[in-house]
Amino acid sequence: MEMQNPYFLELLRREFNERKARDPQYSIRRFARALRIDATMLSRILRGSEILTMRTSRNILLAVSLKEEERERFIGSVLEAQRQKWLTNLTPTQH
């Protein structure tokens, strides 16, 4: 079964792609500045190798115009991703 990307990741990728479509020179670094987060962190988030923190989520929500329902879904998806990561870290690994 294929894992679906969290909503926050879909939203960030969509927002970046929309901005890039309007300005082909638009970069991850510029997007990160607009979101008020570190460019390296944003790159890892967009690749799916890092999960948003609530502080970073807040910065993004302040920088991106979303309807209330989208904001709630965004935060919910961040919390669920954090929960899944936490649970995965609790699972003992076999050596």
Side-chain angles (χ1 to χ4, degrees), residues 56-72:
T56 303
S57 298
R58 180 181 178 275
N59 288 347
I60 291 169
L61 290 173
L62 290 171
V64 177
S65 180
L66 296 176
K67 296 176 185 171
E68 185 63 29
E69 179 182 302
E70 292 173 309
R71 293 168 68 85
E72 289 175 11

Side-chain angles (χ1 to χ4, degrees), residues 40-83:
T40 302
M41 178 187 286
L42 177 59
S43 181
R44 290 191 307 255
I45 291 165
L46 292 173
R47 282 195 317 266
S49 62
E50 186 162 327
I51 296 171
L52 288 172
T53 63
M54 290 314 288
R55 174 178 283 182
T56 303
S57 298
R58 180 181 178 275
N59 288 347
I60 291 169
L61 290 173
L62 290 171
V64 177
S65 180
L66 296 176
K67 296 176 185 171
E68 185 63 29
E69 179 182 302
E70 292 173 309
R71 293 168 68 85
E72 289 175 11
R73 188 171 174 202
F74 184 93
I75 292 168
S77 70
V78 170
L79 291 172
E80 178 59 23
Q82 289 174 344
R83 185 182 78 80

Side-chain angles (χ1 to χ4, degrees), residues 2-36:
E2 186 177 321
M3 288 283 294
Q4 183 178 355
N5 287 326
Y7 178 73
F8 73 84
L9 185 54
E10 292 175 8
L11 185 135
L12 287 172
R13 287 176 178 166
R14 183 181 70 223
E15 183 71 22
F16 176 73
N17 289 332
E18 287 173 2
R19 293 177 186 211
K20 183 116 175 122
R22 288 190 303 265
D23 177 3
Q25 299 299 312
Y26 201 79
S27 66
I28 295 288
R29 190 173 304 274
R30 189 167 159 199
F31 190 41
R33 274 194 308 268
L35 298 177
R36 301 179 194 120

